[in-house]
PDB file of all heavy atoms in Angstrom:
ATOM      1  N   PHE A 142     -29.550  -1.662  -9.727  1.00 97.00           N
ATOM      2  CA  PHE A 142     -29.391  -2.753  -8.797  1.00 97.00           C
ATOM      3  C   PHE A 142     -30.834  -3.214  -8.393  1.00 97.00           C
ATOM      4  O   PHE A 142     -31.077  -4.481  -8.427  1.00 97.00           O
ATOM      5  CB  PHE A 142     -28.508  -2.408  -7.594  1.00 97.00           C
ATOM      6  CG  PHE A 142     -27.116  -2.322  -7.838  1.00 97.00           C
ATOM      7  CD1 PHE A 142     -26.293  -1.484  -7.057  1.00 97.00           C
ATOM      8  CD2 PHE A 142     -26.533  -3.046  -8.894  1.00 97.00           C
ATOM      9  CE1 PHE A 142     -24.966  -1.476  -7.247  1.00 97.00           C
ATOM     10  CE2 PHE A 142     -25.122  -2.858  -9.107  1.00 97.00           C
ATOM     11  CZ  PHE A 142     -24.283  -2.146  -8.282  1.00 97.00           C
ATOM     12  N   VAL A 143     -31.719  -2.274  -8.176  1.00 97.00           N
ATOM     13  CA  VAL A 143     -33.127  -2.673  -7.789  1.00 97.00           C
ATOM     14  C   VAL A 143     -33.747  -3.393  -8.920  1.00 97.00           C
ATOM     15  O   VAL A 143     -34.453  -4.495  -8.647  1.00 97.00           O
ATOM     16  CB  VAL A 143     -33.951  -1.423  -7.459  1.00 97.00           C
ATOM     17  CG1 VAL A 143     -35.363  -1.561  -7.523  1.00 97.00           C
ATOM     18  CG2 VAL A 143     -33.437  -0.725  -6.095  1.00 97.00           C
ATOM     19  N   ARG A 144     -33.570  -3.025 -10.120  1.00 96.00           N
ATOM     20  CA  ARG A 144     -34.174  -3.648 -11.252  1.00 96.00           C
ATOM     21  C   ARG A 144     -33.634  -5.006 -11.675  1.00 96.00           C
ATOM     22  O   ARG A 144     -34.216  -5.814 -12.352  1.00 96.00           O
ATOM     23  CB  ARG A 144     -34.173  -2.705 -12.447  1.00 96.00           C
ATOM     24  CG  ARG A 144     -35.043  -1.486 -12.306  1.00 96.00           C
ATOM     25  CD  ARG A 144     -34.916  -0.505 -13.506  1.00 96.00           C
ATOM     26  NE  ARG A 144     -35.871   0.605 -13.220  1.00 96.00           N
ATOM     27  CZ  ARG A 144     -35.924   1.693 -13.948  1.00 96.00           C
ATOM     28  NH1 ARG A 144     -35.000   1.886 -14.904  1.00 96.00           N
ATOM     29  NH2 ARG A 144     -36.803   2.571 -13.721  1.00 96.00           N
ATOM     30  N   SER A 145     -32.418  -5.318 -11.116  1.00 96.00           N
ATOM     31  CA  SER A 145     -31.823  -6.707 -11.479  1.00 96.00           C
ATOM     32  C   SER A 145     -31.636  -7.531 -10.246  1.00 96.00           C
ATOM     33  O   SER A 145     -30.986  -8.486 -10.356  1.00 96.00           O
ATOM     34  CB  SER A 145     -30.306  -6.294 -12.120  1.00 96.00           C
ATOM     35  OG  SER A 145     -29.592  -5.680 -11.076  1.00 96.00           O
ATOM     36  N   SER A 146     -32.326  -7.181  -9.208  1.00 97.00           N
ATOM     37  CA  SER A 146     -32.236  -8.112  -7.893  1.00 97.00           C
ATOM     38  C   SER A 146     -33.672  -8.247  -7.285  1.00 97.00           C
ATOM     39  O   SER A 146     -34.430  -7.292  -7.448  1.00 97.00           O
ATOM     40  CB  SER A 146     -31.375  -7.424  -6.971  1.00 97.00           C
ATOM     41  OG  SER A 146     -30.048  -7.004  -7.580  1.00 97.00           O
ATOM     42  N   GLU A 147     -33.730  -9.378  -6.641  1.00 97.00           N
ATOM     43  CA  GLU A 147     -35.101  -9.559  -5.956  1.00 97.00           C
ATOM     44  C   GLU A 147     -35.159  -9.132  -4.585  1.00 97.00           C
ATOM     45  O   GLU A 147     -36.143  -8.663  -4.028  1.00 97.00           O
ATOM     46  CB  GLU A 147     -35.278 -11.134  -5.884  1.00 97.00           C
ATOM     47  CG  GLU A 147     -35.504 -11.818  -7.123  1.00 97.00           C
ATOM     48  CD  GLU A 147     -35.906 -13.301  -7.089  1.00 97.00           C
ATOM     49  OE1 GLU A 147     -36.553 -13.664  -5.998  1.00 97.00           O
ATOM     50  OE2 GLU A 147     -35.564 -14.116  -7.891  1.00 97.00           O
ATOM     51  N   TYR A 148     -33.931  -9.054  -3.825  1.00 98.00           N
ATOM     52  CA  TYR A 148     -33.834  -8.532  -2.538  1.00 98.00           C
ATOM     53  C   TYR A 148     -32.824  -7.429  -2.335  1.00 98.00           C
ATOM     54  O   TYR A 148     -31.834  -7.367  -3.128  1.00 98.00           O
ATOM     55  CB  TYR A 148     -33.503  -9.653  -1.599  1.00 98.00           C
ATOM     56  CG  TYR A 148     -34.476 -10.861  -1.685  1.00 98.00           C
ATOM     57  CD1 TYR A 148     -34.233 -11.957  -2.287  1.00 98.00           C
ATOM     58  CD2 TYR A 148     -35.688 -10.790  -0.921  1.00 98.00           C
ATOM     59  CE1 TYR A 148     -35.169 -13.080  -2.400  1.00 98.00           C
ATOM     60  CE2 TYR A 148     -36.604 -11.908  -0.936  1.00 98.00           C
ATOM     61  CZ  TYR A 148     -36.341 -12.996  -1.711  1.00 98.00           C
ATOM     62  OH  TYR A 148     -37.181 -13.980  -1.755  1.00 98.00           O
ATOM     63  N   VAL A 149     -33.053  -6.682  -1.192  1.00 98.00           N
ATOM     64  CA  VAL A 149     -32.137  -5.621  -0.924  1.00 98.00           C
ATOM     65  C   VAL A 149     -31.933  -5.634   0.588  1.00 98.00           C
ATOM     66  O   VAL A 149     -32.888  -5.771   1.341  1.00 98.00           O
ATOM     67  CB  VAL A 149     -32.494  -4.131  -1.396  1.00 98.00           C
ATOM     68  CG1 VAL A 149     -33.971  -3.876  -0.860  1.00 98.00           C
ATOM     69  CG2 VAL A 149     -31.480  -3.138  -1.054  1.00 98.00           C
ATOM     70  N   PHE A 150     -30.742  -5.490   0.988  1.00 98.00           N
ATOM     71  CA  PHE A 150     -30.299  -5.292   2.436  1.00 98.00           C
ATOM     72  C   PHE A 150     -29.927  -3.807   2.579  1.00 98.00           C
ATOM     73  O   PHE A 150     -28.873  -3.568   2.119  1.00 98.00           O
ATOM     74  CB  PHE A 150     -29.460  -6.272   2.898  1.00 98.00           C
ATOM     75  CG  PHE A 150     -28.761  -5.912   4.269  1.00 98.00           C
ATOM     76  CD1 PHE A 150     -29.589  -5.332   5.285  1.00 98.00           C
ATOM     77  CD2 PHE A 150     -27.465  -6.257   4.589  1.00 98.00           C
ATOM     78  CE1 PHE A 150     -29.018  -5.079   6.571  1.00 98.00           C
ATOM     79  CE2 PHE A 150     -26.908  -6.028   5.850  1.00 98.00           C
ATOM     80  CZ  PHE A 150     -27.738  -5.530   6.755  1.00 98.00           C
ATOM     81  N   PHE A 255     -26.882  -3.637  -0.061  1.00 98.00           N
ATOM     82  CA  PHE A 255     -26.433  -4.836  -0.688  1.00 98.00           C
ATOM     83  C   PHE A 255     -27.678  -5.587  -1.559  1.00 98.00           C
ATOM     84  O   PHE A 255     -28.786  -5.475  -0.986  1.00 98.00           O
ATOM     85  CB  PHE A 255     -26.022  -5.835   0.242  1.00 98.00           C
ATOM     86  CG  PHE A 255     -24.868  -5.346   1.230  1.00 98.00           C
ATOM     87  CD1 PHE A 255     -25.161  -4.657   2.315  1.00 98.00           C
ATOM     88  CD2 PHE A 255     -23.590  -5.631   0.929  1.00 98.00           C
ATOM     89  CE1 PHE A 255     -24.284  -4.147   3.221  1.00 98.00           C
ATOM     90  CE2 PHE A 255     -22.541  -5.150   1.730  1.00 98.00           C
ATOM     91  CZ  PHE A 255     -22.834  -4.486   2.959  1.00 98.00           C
ATOM     92  N   PHE A 256     -27.425  -5.910  -2.609  1.00 98.00           N
ATOM     93  CA  PHE A 256     -28.477  -6.603  -3.422  1.00 98.00           C
ATOM     94  C   PHE A 256     -28.195  -7.986  -3.795  1.00 98.00           C
ATOM     95  O   PHE A 256     -27.068  -8.371  -4.086  1.00 98.00           O
ATOM     96  CB  PHE A 256     -28.715  -5.687  -4.814  1.00 98.00           C
ATOM     97  CG  PHE A 256     -29.098  -4.270  -4.553  1.00 98.00           C
ATOM     98  CD1 PHE A 256     -28.068  -3.310  -4.176  1.00 98.00           C
ATOM     99  CD2 PHE A 256     -30.305  -3.932  -4.554  1.00 98.00           C
ATOM    100  CE1 PHE A 256     -28.479  -2.023  -4.030  1.00 98.00           C
ATOM    101  CE2 PHE A 256     -30.711  -2.639  -4.407  1.00 98.00           C
ATOM    102  CZ  PHE A 256     -29.848  -1.669  -4.187  1.00 98.00           C
ATOM    103  N   SER A 257     -29.200  -8.841  -3.873  1.00 97.00           N
ATOM    104  CA  SER A 257     -29.065 -10.308  -4.159  1.00 97.00           C
ATOM    105  C   SER A 257     -30.385 -10.832  -4.595  1.00 97.00           C
ATOM    106  O   SER A 257     -31.433 -10.284  -4.203  1.00 97.00           O
ATOM    107  CB  SER A 257     -28.393 -10.950  -3.012  1.00 97.00           C
ATOM    108  OG  SER A 257     -28.317 -12.431  -3.172  1.00 97.00           O
ATOM    109  N   PHE A 289     -35.508  -6.699   2.527  1.00 96.00           N
ATOM    110  CA  PHE A 289     -36.793  -6.703   2.040  1.00 96.00           C
ATOM    111  C   PHE A 289     -36.714  -6.878   0.429  1.00 96.00           C
ATOM    112  O   PHE A 289     -35.753  -6.838  -0.069  1.00 96.00           O
ATOM    113  CB  PHE A 289     -37.612  -5.530   2.423  1.00 96.00           C
ATOM    114  CG  PHE A 289     -36.989  -4.223   2.079  1.00 96.00           C
ATOM    115  CD1 PHE A 289     -37.210  -3.548   0.868  1.00 96.00           C
ATOM    116  CD2 PHE A 289     -36.161  -3.639   3.040  1.00 96.00           C
ATOM    117  CE1 PHE A 289     -36.465  -2.451   0.594  1.00 96.00           C
ATOM    118  CE2 PHE A 289     -35.557  -2.501   2.782  1.00 96.00           C
ATOM    119  CZ  PHE A 289     -35.813  -1.715   1.595  1.00 96.00           C
ATOM    120  N   THR A 290     -37.877  -7.203  -0.119  1.00 97.00           N
ATOM    121  CA  THR A 290     -37.933  -7.401  -1.597  1.00 97.00           C
ATOM    122  C   THR A 290     -37.908  -6.093  -2.179  1.00 97.00           C
ATOM    123  O   THR A 290     -38.336  -5.036  -1.746  1.00 97.00           O
ATOM    124  CB  THR A 290     -39.230  -8.153  -1.967  1.00 97.00           C
ATOM    125  OG1 THR A 290     -40.393  -7.462  -1.608  1.00 97.00           O
ATOM    126  CG2 THR A 290     -39.231  -9.586  -1.334  1.00 97.00           C
ATOM    127  N   THR A 291     -37.243  -6.074  -3.454  1.00 97.00           N
ATOM    128  CA  THR A 291     -37.111  -4.856  -4.118  1.00 97.00           C
ATOM    129  C   THR A 291     -38.469  -4.277  -4.609  1.00 97.00           C
ATOM    130  O   THR A 291     -38.626  -3.014  -4.830  1.00 97.00           O
ATOM    131  CB  THR A 291     -36.052  -4.897  -5.228  1.00 97.00           C
ATOM    132  OG1 THR A 291     -36.437  -6.030  -6.196  1.00 97.00           O
ATOM    133  CG2 THR A 291     -34.656  -5.160  -4.847  1.00 97.00           C
ATOM    134  N   LYS A 292     -39.265  -5.152  -4.785  1.00 96.00           N
ATOM    135  CA  LYS A 292     -40.695  -4.776  -5.370  1.00 96.00           C
ATOM    136  C   LYS A 292     -41.464  -3.931  -4.389  1.00 96.00           C
ATOM    137  O   LYS A 292     -42.435  -3.282  -4.760  1.00 96.00           O
ATOM    138  CB  LYS A 292     -41.494  -5.979  -5.767  1.00 96.00           C
ATOM    139  CG  LYS A 292     -41.909  -6.899  -4.768  1.00 96.00           C
ATOM    140  CD  LYS A 292     -42.714  -8.115  -5.336  1.00 96.00           C
ATOM    141  CE  LYS A 292     -43.147  -9.009  -4.188  1.00 96.00           C
ATOM    142  NZ  LYS A 292     -43.897 -10.210  -4.817  1.00 96.00           N
ATOM    143  N   GLN A 293     -40.977  -3.928  -3.103  1.00 94.00           N
ATOM    144  CA  GLN A 293     -41.556  -3.101  -2.095  1.00 94.00           C
ATOM    145  C   GLN A 293     -41.167  -1.724  -2.199  1.00 94.00           C
ATOM    146  O   GLN A 293     -41.776  -0.810  -1.639  1.00 94.00           O
ATOM    147  CB  GLN A 293     -41.211  -3.617  -0.725  1.00 94.00           C
ATOM    148  CG  GLN A 293     -41.869  -4.983  -0.282  1.00 94.00           C
ATOM    149  CD  GLN A 293     -41.366  -5.404   1.028  1.00 94.00           C
ATOM    150  OE1 GLN A 293     -40.585  -6.378   1.120  1.00 94.00           O
ATOM    151  NE2 GLN A 293     -41.711  -4.680   2.115  1.00 94.00           N
ATOM    152  N   GLY A 294     -40.105  -1.579  -3.017  1.00 94.00           N
ATOM    153  CA  GLY A 294     -39.618  -0.129  -3.064  1.00 94.00           C
ATOM    154  C   GLY A 294     -38.562   0.198  -2.048  1.00 94.00           C
ATOM    155  O   GLY A 294     -38.734  -0.241  -0.823  1.00 94.00           O
ATOM    156  N   ALA A 295     -37.504   0.948  -2.402  1.00 94.00           N
ATOM    157  CA  ALA A 295     -36.411   1.146  -1.329  1.00 94.00           C
ATOM    158  C   ALA A 295     -36.150   2.740  -1.344  1.00 94.00           C
ATOM    159  O   ALA A 295     -36.097   3.315  -2.508  1.00 94.00           O
ATOM    160  CB  ALA A 295     -35.022   0.512  -1.816  1.00 94.00           C
ATOM    161  N   ILE A 302     -37.502   3.959  -4.767  1.00 93.00           N
ATOM    162  CA  ILE A 302     -37.147   3.435  -6.061  1.00 93.00           C
ATOM    163  C   ILE A 302     -37.726   1.953  -6.185  1.00 93.00           C
ATOM    164  O   ILE A 302     -37.563   1.062  -5.305  1.00 93.00           O
ATOM    165  CB  ILE A 302     -35.708   3.423  -6.167  1.00 93.00           C
ATOM    166  CG1 ILE A 302     -35.056   4.831  -6.166  1.00 93.00           C
ATOM    167  CG2 ILE A 302     -35.324   2.734  -7.530  1.00 93.00           C
ATOM    168  CD1 ILE A 302     -33.591   4.893  -6.137  1.00 93.00           C
ATOM    169  N   PHE A 303     -38.551   1.745  -7.145  1.00 95.00           N
ATOM    170  CA  PHE A 303     -39.227   0.506  -7.416  1.00 95.00           C
ATOM    171  C   PHE A 303     -38.539  -0.076  -8.751  1.00 95.00           C
ATOM    172  O   PHE A 303     -37.942   0.652  -9.511  1.00 95.00           O
ATOM    173  CB  PHE A 303     -40.701   0.604  -7.670  1.00 95.00           C
ATOM    174  CG  PHE A 303     -41.466   1.132  -6.499  1.00 95.00           C
ATOM    175  CD1 PHE A 303     -41.519   2.435  -6.137  1.00 95.00           C
ATOM    176  CD2 PHE A 303     -42.070   0.248  -5.589  1.00 95.00           C
ATOM    177  CE1 PHE A 303     -42.163   3.018  -5.059  1.00 95.00           C
ATOM    178  CE2 PHE A 303     -42.838   0.761  -4.480  1.00 95.00           C
ATOM    179  CZ  PHE A 303     -42.907   2.068  -4.146  1.00 95.00           C
ATOM    180  N   PRO A 304     -38.686  -1.348  -8.899  1.00 95.00           N
ATOM    181  CA  PRO A 304     -38.194  -1.995 -10.166  1.00 95.00           C
ATOM    182  C   PRO A 304     -38.843  -1.350 -11.421  1.00 95.00           C
ATOM    183  O   PRO A 304     -38.176  -1.235 -12.594  1.00 95.00           O
ATOM    184  CB  PRO A 304     -38.564  -3.422 -10.084  1.00 95.00           C
ATOM    185  CG  PRO A 304     -38.665  -3.640  -8.570  1.00 95.00           C
ATOM    186  CD  PRO A 304     -39.210  -2.484  -8.129  1.00 95.00           C
ATOM    187  N   THR A 305     -40.108  -0.755 -11.361  1.00 93.00           N
ATOM    188  CA  THR A 305     -40.816  -0.347 -12.545  1.00 93.00           C
ATOM    189  C   THR A 305     -40.856   1.197 -12.556  1.00 93.00           C
ATOM    190  O   THR A 305     -41.184   1.699 -13.627  1.00 93.00           O
ATOM    191  CB  THR A 305     -42.279  -0.879 -12.515  1.00 93.00           C
ATOM    192  OG1 THR A 305     -42.854  -0.598 -11.334  1.00 93.00           O
ATOM    193  CG2 THR A 305     -42.129  -2.430 -12.741  1.00 93.00           C
TER     194      THR A 305
END
Side-chain angles (χ1 to χ4, degrees):
F142 288 153
V143 165
R144 290 174 175 171
S145 61
S146 311
E147 291 184 38
Y148 301 98
V149 57
F150 170 32
F255 305 82
F256 298 82
S257 176
F289 51 92
T290 61
T291 53
K292 67 181 180 182
Q293 293 176 248
I302 301 174
F303 298 83
T305 55

